[in-house]
Amino acid sequence: MQEPLVARIMISQCHTSQFCCRFGPLFGCHVTTLLRLLWMLFLGLSPESWAQQGTQPHSIKIKGDITLGGLFPVHSRGPAGVPCGEIKREKGIHRMEAMLYALDQINSDPDLLPNITLGAMVLDTCSRDTYALEQSLTFVQALIQKDNSDVRCSNNEPPIIRKPERVVGVIGASGSSVSIMVANVLRLFAIPQISYASTAPELSDKSRYEFFSRVVPPDSYQAQAMVDIVKAMGWNYVSTLASEGNYGESGVDAFLQISREAGGLCIGQSIKIPREPKPGGFDKIIKRLMETSNARGVIIFANEDDIRRVLEAAKRANLTGHFLFVGSDSWGAKSSPILDQEDVAEGAVTILPKRASIDGFDNYFTSRSLKNNRRNIWFAEYWEDDFKCKLTRPGIKYDLGRRKCTGEERIAQESQYEQEGKVQFVIDAVYAMAHALHSMHLDLCPGSMGICEKMDPVEGSQLLHYIRSVNFNGSAGTGVMFNENGDAPGRYDIFQFQLSNTTNPGYRCIGQWTNHLRLNAEEMQWSGGDRAVPDSVCSFPCELGERKKMVKGVPCCWHCELCDGYQYQLDELNCDMCPFDMRPMPNRTGCRSTPIIKLEWSSPWAIIPVFLAVLGILATSGCIITFIRFNDTPIVRASGRELSYVLLTGIFLIYLITFLMIAEPSAPVCAFRRLLLGLGMCITYSAMLTKTNRIYRIFEQGKKAVTPPPFISPASQLIITFILIGVQLLGIFIWFGVVPPHTIIDYEEQRPPNPEFARGVLKCDMSDLALVLCLSYSIVLMVTCTVYAIKSRGVPETFNEAKPIGFTMYTTCIIWLAFVPIFFGTAQSTEKMFIQTTTLTVSMSLSATVSLGMLYIPKVYVIIFQPEQNVQKRKRSSKAVASTVTSQLSQKDDKKNGESKSSAIVPDRSQ
C-alpha cells in the first residue's frame, strides 16, 4: 500500500526535527484511505499546510480517568491567511471556563461518577470550520492504527512514542458550520458529540449526524418561534438576512419553510451575507432591503460581526428606526452586536434559548486570577484584553502605549462582567456526558469503584445510547433530555432591546415560547418609545367595501378596488351585485332595501297640476251649473244642450284624472286610472267630433241640395257620440280582462350610478306604451276632429260654433305635439315619473281648459253678464238653413269677382 502524503511528510521531517520524531509517527505509515479522504475531500485542505502549522494543536489538557474533548471559539476568525484573530472574551473564554467549572463540580460530587475523574482536552476553533476540523483530528489520534516499525530517528534509534489520550466524547462546537464539519469526522470514529450552541436544523438529520446531540433546541424550533412572533405582530411581509454558512442558511431555510406551511407570510428579500464581504457590501444589502421598503421586518440569522455591520450600514443610510429586526439566538441578549448602534437596534426583538444565570459560575469565574488559573493557557491573553493592560512575557516586547498588568486586578470589580448566555448550556452539556457515563458505569461495572474492563475503552455507540436516555435537572433547574434526533426541547425567552422611556436601557424579556408563543405586547416599545406595533405589510388592509386584487405570485400583496355601482363586498376577494330590489349599504359590506317612493301631494311636481285641475273643476262645475240653471235659454239651446253636457262631462273627467294620477297607487286607483285616463278625452273629443262632423255635413250637403243630411238630430248626435265612447270602453274592459290592474315597484326607473339616490317607484302597471295606447283612440278622435275643423274653415262667420271648435283643435294639437318630446324625452331621467306625470296631467288640463275656454266660457259670460243678448231669434227650418248657406256661398264667390254684397243670416240651431 502506498504511503499517504502526510506520512511521507512526517518521515521526511523526522530527520531534521526531534519534535517530529516524537509525534509524527502517531499518524503511522499506513493511515487508512478514509483519513486521506478527510483531508482531501472534507477539508479541501492540503496536508502540507497542516504540517506547516505544527502537528500539535494549542490545547488545554486536564488529566483524568476518562477524557472529554472540548471545542470553543476562544479566538475570532483571523484575517486572510491568518487562522485566528482577537480573543473572544464571552463566547470563547466564558464558555470554555464553564466546561472547566462543570468538570470541577462533577469531580467533586461523590454521587456522580464516584472514584472516576473526568479529564479534558480543550481546543480552540478560532471561529473557522476548516481550522476546527484540523484541530479535531487530535481527538481521533488514539483510534488510528499505526505501524512504526520502519520509522527511525537521525541516530537510527526508534522514536519515543507517547500514547495519545483517548477522547470518549466531545463537548462542542459552538457554530453550526463548525459542528457539522467536526461531526463528519467524529462519526467515522463513533465519538459522541454534544453541542452547547449549534442550532442548525441540518444537524437533526441522524442519517448523517447520528453521533451528534445538543442541549439547545434546533433552529427549526427557533424558526417556528420567530414565525409566531411575526404573526403576533400582525406582519405579513418581511425580509431575511443570513450569514453564509450552515447556521444562517439553515435557519433562514427553516423559517421560509415554516412560513410557507403556515401561510399568510411573504418574503420581500432573502439575502445571504458572504463570509468575506467586499467593501461596501453591507451598504448594498441595505439598498436591496429598501427595494421592498414595506417589508420593514427583517429576520436575521447572522453572526455578531455581520449583525453589527448591518446596523452600521443602516445608520449610514439614515434609516434609523425603519427596520424592525427579529434576531436569532446568535443575537440573543448580547451587547457586543449593538455596541454604539443602540439607536438603530432599538425595538429589535431577539430570541434566546431559555436560560438562567448560574450563580456558582459567577463566583467561580470572578475568583479566577493569573495565579489560580494556570490551566487555562489563554487566560493571560483574556486578562490583558479585559483589563486593557499588558503582561510582560519572555520574548514579547512590552507595549509602551498600555499600562502594565499587576496581576492583582479583579474580574467584575475593575472590569465589566456579565455571564455569557450559553454558559448554562455548556455546563448542561458536560453534565449530560457525565450522567451518561454514570449510567453506563452502573450498567457495565456494577459494584466497581473505578473503570472496569467493559468500559476500557468506552464504546462510542453504547455511550451514545446512554446520552440519548439522560433525563435530569440542569444547572438552571430545567429538564435536560434529548429526543430521537438528539435535540433538546424548544424553550425560548423573547427579548426586546428598549432604549427610550425606560430607566434601564437594554434587553427586556417580553415573552416565552415553549411549543407556543406567550407574548406580553403591553411591555413592548419601539423606536422613540412608541407603544404601537409598527407595520411590516406589503399592502395595508382594504377599507370596508373594497376587495383585494391580488398581485400575481405574491399572496401578501394586493391592490384595493372599491366595490362600485350596486356591488357589495361578498368577501375580501370578491364583490357581488345586490339583488335588483336592494342597494349596497354605505360601507358596502352588505345590501339594504331600496326606499320606495311615490308622487307626494306636497311635491312641486304635484302642486301645479292639482292647482290647474282644481281651477278647471271649479270652472267646469260653474259652466255645468250655469247651463243647468239656464237650460232653456236660447244660448244654451243653440249650443246643443245634449252634446254640451256630454262634452262638459268629458272635460270634468279630464280634470279629475289629475287626482288619480297623483294618488298613491293601489289596485282600485290603477283601475280608475285605466278607465278615466282615456275616457275623459274620448268623451270630450267624441262629442266635439260629432259637432264638427254635423256642421261639415250640413254645409257640404247645402252645396249639393236643399235637403238636410241624415243623423243631425240631437238624438242621432248622442247615439253617434256614445258609439264612439263605447269603442274606448270596450278596449278598456278587454284590457281589464287580459291584465287585471295592479301595482308594481319599478326599481329601474330611478337607478342612477350612485346607489345612494336609488329609489323604487310605486306605480300602476302602465308602461309608457300602454299609456300611449290608452290615449291613442282619443288622439285619433282629436286628429279627426281637427281635420273636420280644417274642412269647415270656410263656414260663414255667423255659424260661430265651427270656428271656436277649429281654434280649440288647433291649440290642442299644439299642446299634444309639445307633450310628446317632453314625455318621451325624459324616459332616461331619474325624475322620469315626476316629469311624465306632471307633463301628462298639465297637458290634459290645458287641453281641457282650451276646450272649456273656447267653447263655453264665452257663452257663460253672455248668459251671466249680457243677458240681453240671450234672446230668442227667428226660427228657420233646415231647408231654409241650407238655402241660406247656398246664398252665402254665392255671395262669397261674387266678392271674389269684385261685387260687394252683404247679408246677415242667422242660422237656427235649435234643432
Side-chain angles (χ1 to χ4, degrees):
M1 181 177 180
Q2 185 181 0
E3 285 183 329
L5 179 58
V6 66
R8 298 201 304 269
I9 294 173
M10 297 300 176
I11 295 168
S12 66
Q13 290 185 347
C14 280
H15 298 287
T16 58
S17 171
Q18 186 63 29
F19 181 85
C20 177
C21 287
R22 293 177 60 86
F23 299 103
L26 289 174
F27 288 90
C29 297
H30 299 285
V31 181
T32 62
T33 304
L34 188 55
L35 189 55
R36 178 187 295 181
L37 290 175
L38 286 175
W39 267 311
M40 298 299 183
L41 300 179
F42 273 125
L43 341 214
L45 182 72
S46 69
E48 291 90 344
S49 65
W50 190 85
Q52 288 171 3
Q53 294 178 18
T55 60
Q56 180 59 44
H58 206 34
S59 62
I60 295 175
K61 291 185 179 180
I62 299 175
K63 294 290 184 178
D65 301 320
I66 297 175
T67 302
L68 302 181
L71 291 172
F72 296 92
V74 178
H75 292 86
S76 62
R77 180 184 304 176
V82 180
C84 302
E86 298 178 350
I87 195 163
K88 300 179 79 167
R89 291 185 295 172
E90 288 83 14
K91 292 182 70 173
I93 297 298
H94 282 205
R95 294 180 182 180
M96 190 269 295
E97 285 287 351
M99 180 176 179
L100 302 182
Y101 166 75
L103 290 175
D104 292 345
Q105 296 296 308
I106 293 168
N107 289 334
S108 62
D109 188 343
D111 298 323
L112 186 60
L113 291 175
N115 299 314
I116 297 176
T117 303
L118 291 181
M121 180 183 294
V122 181
L123 304 177
D124 181 9
T125 65
C126 291
S127 306
R128 190 187 297 269
D129 50 6
T130 53
Y131 182 79
L133 182 57
E134 297 177 36
Q135 297 289 75
S136 65
L137 293 177
T138 306
F139 296 146
V140 301
Q141 289 177 1
L143 301 177
I144 299 175
Q145 298 296 325
K146 296 168 286 293
D147 182 4
N148 304 317
S149 59
D150 58 347
V151 179
R152 291 291 184 269
C153 292
S154 57
N155 58 3
N156 202 30
E157 292 192 8
I160 302 172
I161 300 173
R162 186 174 63 184
K163 184 180 180 181
E165 295 181 38
R166 184 184 181 93
V167 173
V168 301
V170 174
I171 305 299
S174 177
S176 294
S177 58
V178 175
S179 286
I180 287 172
M181 193 74 83
V182 172
N184 281 314
V185 176
L186 298 183
R187 67 186 288 266
L188 299 176
F189 298 94
I191 300 179
Q193 175 186 1
I194 301 178
S195 175
Y196 48 83
S198 298
T199 56
E202 182 181 352
L203 288 164
S204 297
D205 183 0
K206 293 304 116 179
S207 65
R208 297 176 57 192
Y209 309 105
E210 65 268 33
F211 284 86
F212 179 84
S213 304
R214 49 188 161 191
V215 291
V216 288
D219 284 337
S220 54
Y221 295 158
Q222 184 174 197
Q224 179 65 65
M226 296 173 86
V227 169
D228 292 346
I229 291 170
V230 168
K231 285 186 171 291
M233 301 293 183
W235 300 344
N236 67 3
Y237 195 46
V238 296
S239 294
T240 64
L241 273 178
S243 291
E244 185 177 3
N246 293 95
Y247 171 76
E249 295 177 49
S250 299
V252 165
D253 288 345
F255 179 87
L256 296 178
Q257 181 179 350
I258 293 171
S259 64
R260 280 193 297 267
E261 293 171 356
L265 188 58
C266 299
I267 306 301
Q269 301 283 342
S270 189
I271 303 173
K272 182 167 65 176
I273 303 171
R275 275 196 176 92
E276 304 292 341
K278 297 178 181 178
F282 284 90
D283 295 324
K284 292 180 180 178
I285 288 172
I286 295 300
K287 287 181 181 178
R288 280 193 59 190
L289 290 175
M290 287 305 294
E291 290 175 6
T292 51
S293 56
N294 278 5
R296 296 178 62 190
V298 178
I299 311 303
I300 183 164
F301 281 84
N303 58 54
E304 294 180 32
D305 293 337
D306 288 345
I307 293 170
R308 184 177 64 255
R309 286 182 281 187
V310 166
L311 297 178
E312 290 172 351
K315 192 170 187 177
R316 284 195 300 271
N318 251 352
L319 292 172
T320 299
H322 176 79
F323 294 114
L324 311 169
F325 294 100
V326 179
S328 64
D329 61 345
S330 61
W331 185 333
K334 301 186 187 78
S335 57
S336 54
I338 62 171
L339 189 63
D340 299 327
Q341 311 299 329
E342 289 84 355
D343 51 345
V344 186
E346 184 176 11
V349 177
T350 61
I351 190 169
L352 193 63
K354 197 169 186 64
R355 62 183 178 88
S357 181
I358 310 303
D359 295 336
F361 177 79
D362 287 340
N363 297 332
Y364 162 81
F365 191 78
T366 55
S367 66
R368 297 299 89 189
S369 67
L370 293 174
K371 295 179 181 179
N372 63 15
N373 200 23
R374 296 184 184 275
R375 63 181 177 180
N376 186 345
I377 61 175
W378 297 291
F379 197 69
E381 191 177 352
Y382 167 84
W383 196 270
E384 290 178 328
D385 187 74
D386 192 39
F387 293 106
K388 303 297 184 288
C389 61
K390 194 68 177 176
L391 291 170
T392 56
R393 285 178 283 175
I396 299 178
K397 186 177 179 181
Y398 177 68
D399 186 359
L400 297 177
R402 300 181 70 175
R403 71 178 182 87
K404 185 178 179 181
C405 298
T406 64
E408 300 300 323
E409 295 89 354
R410 289 292 176 265
I411 298 173
Q413 295 181 12
E414 299 175 46
S415 66
Q416 291 185 348
Y417 167 77
E418 182 180 357
Q419 187 179 125
E420 201 275 333
K422 294 291 195 300
V423 163
Q424 168 196 340
F425 300 107
V426 175
I427 297 172
D428 288 345
V430 178
Y431 265 89
M433 195 72 78
H435 278 281
L437 289 168
H438 183 78
S439 298
M440 186 177 185
H441 183 265
L442 291 177
D443 289 345
L444 300 182
C445 306
S448 175
M449 298 300 292
I451 300 296
C452 66
E453 291 183 1
K454 292 183 179 180
M455 286 186 65
D456 188 15
V458 173
E459 179 62 39
S461 299
Q462 283 185 312
L463 179 57
L464 177 65
H465 168 74
Y466 286 102
I467 288 174
R468 297 290 169 79
S469 302
V470 299
N471 190 341
F472 64 96
N473 287 331
S475 55
T478 56
V480 177
M481 64 193 75
F482 303 99
N483 63 14
E484 65 278 6
N485 294 324
D487 297 328
R491 292 188 290 258
Y492 295 97
D493 283 324
I494 313 298
F495 294 91
Q496 186 181 41
F497 183 72
Q498 299 180 357
L499 197 61
S500 306
N501 301 331
T502 178
T503 55
N504 296 313
Y507 293 97
R508 182 173 182 179
C509 185
I510 57 170
Q512 296 82 35
W513 190 93
T514 307
N515 297 324
H516 65 276
L517 180 67
R518 296 187 300 276
L519 196 64
N520 300 322
E522 63 278 3
E523 295 183 6
M524 302 181 72
Q525 67 178 31
W526 306 88
S527 181
D530 191 4
R531 294 283 181 178
V533 178
D535 294 312
S536 181
V537 294
C538 181
S539 302
F540 289 98
C542 293
E543 300 291 336
L544 290 176
E546 294 179 341
R547 76 175 186 94
K548 294 179 181 178
K549 184 179 180 181
M550 307 305 297
V551 176
K552 188 176 181 180
V554 189
C556 300
C557 299
W558 58 80
H559 303 296
C560 294
E561 286 189 349
L562 180 67
C563 296
D564 56 358
Y566 288 82
Q567 294 180 327
Y568 72 100
Q569 185 180 3
L570 179 63
D571 52 46
E572 65 176 8
L573 297 178
N574 298 288
C575 297
D576 198 11
M577 292 294 295
C578 284
F580 195 70
D581 59 345
M582 304 184 81
R583 59 176 179 166
M585 298 173 67
N587 60 10
R588 295 185 177 270
T589 57
C591 296
R592 53 182 173 159
S593 297
T594 301
I596 308 301
I597 62 168
K598 58 183 180 59
L599 185 58
E600 301 290 344
W601 293 101
S602 58
S603 169
W605 297 102
I607 291 175
I608 294 175
V610 168
F611 178 72
L612 293 176
V614 169
L615 291 180
I617 288 174
L618 292 176
T620 304
S621 299
C623 290
I624 293 173
I625 292 170
T626 300
F627 267 48
I628 294 173
R629 171 71 179 78
F630 299 98
N631 186 55
D632 291 326
T633 60
I635 289 179
V636 174
R637 294 176 62 192
S639 63
R641 288 176 296 183
E642 295 80 5
L643 285 181
S644 291
Y645 286 127
V646 172
L647 200 150
L648 286 170
T649 301
I651 292 173
F652 184 86
L653 293 178
I654 291 174
Y655 284 123
L656 185 64
I657 194 65
T658 295
F659 298 95
L660 291 173
M661 295 299 292
I662 296 173
E664 181 175 347
S666 63
V669 170
C670 292
F672 280 107
R673 279 190 191 180
R674 285 192 193 181
L675 179 64
L676 299 181
L677 181 62
L679 185 62
M681 291 181 64
C682 178
I683 292 172
T684 300
Y685 295 118
S686 293
M688 206 174 294
L689 175 59
T690 303
K691 275 178 174 282
T692 54
N693 176 265
R694 176 176 177 271
I695 294 171
Y696 174 76
R697 286 189 298 112
I698 289 175
F699 288 103
E700 282 295 313
Q701 182 69 21
K703 293 179 183 179
K704 302 174 183 178
V706 294
T707 58
F711 308 115
I712 60 173
S713 64
S716 299
Q717 296 294 298
L718 286 175
I719 291 172
I720 293 171
T721 299
F722 286 130
I723 290 173
L724 294 175
I725 294 171
V727 174
Q728 174 77 15
L729 289 173
L730 178 63
I732 291 174
F733 286 118
I734 291 174
W735 188 9
F736 279 165
V738 175
V739 183
H742 61 278
T743 60
I744 60 171
I745 300 176
D746 188 351
Y747 292 98
E748 188 65 31
E749 183 174 314
Q750 292 203 25
R751 195 174 175 86
N754 187 349
E756 287 300 308
F757 299 108
R759 299 292 185 271
V761 180
L762 179 63
K763 55 168 45 172
C764 291
D765 63 324
M766 291 178 64
S767 63
D768 293 346
L769 179 61
L771 185 143
V772 170
L773 291 175
C774 185
L775 295 175
S776 60
Y777 180 65
S778 299
I779 293 172
V780 169
L781 294 175
M782 181 180 67
V783 171
T784 305
C785 185
T786 303
V787 170
Y788 277 109
I790 292 172
K791 287 184 176 183
S792 303
R793 66 184 183 279
V795 174
E797 293 180 1
T798 51
F799 291 89
N800 53 17
E801 189 78 60
K803 290 190 182 299
I805 291 175
F807 287 128
T808 297
M809 298 317 301
Y810 302 151
T811 306
T812 302
C813 287
I814 292 172
I815 291 171
W816 286 98
L817 286 174
F819 160 80
V820 171
I822 296 174
F823 186 87
F824 292 101
T826 58
Q828 303 302 320
S829 172
T830 55
E831 303 289 336
K832 171 186 173 182
M833 181 191 73
F834 305 134
I835 296 174
Q836 289 186 342
T837 301
T838 301
T839 302
L840 177 63
T841 53
V842 168
S843 296
M844 295 183 72
S845 294
L846 288 177
S847 60
T849 302
V850 168
S851 299
L852 187 67
M854 291 285 187
L855 298 178
Y856 295 105
I857 294 298
K859 292 180 176 59
V860 171
Y861 178 80
V862 171
I863 291 172
I864 295 176
F865 296 104
Q866 296 179 347
E868 67 275 6
Q869 295 187 17
N870 190 10
V871 296
Q872 182 69 39
K873 302 288 183 175
R874 180 170 55 92
K875 273 191 173 184
R876 298 207 178 176
S877 65
S878 298
K879 185 176 180 180
V881 170
S883 299
T884 302
V885 169
T886 304
S887 174
Q888 288 193 352
L889 291 173
S890 298
Q891 288 179 8
K892 289 182 73 176
D893 292 338
D894 292 341
K895 284 182 181 180
K896 291 180 182 178
N897 296 324
E899 298 178 0
S900 300
K901 293 181 180 181
S902 63
S903 166
I905 301 176
V906 179
D908 183 3
R909 301 183 182 87
S910 62
Q911 298 178 23

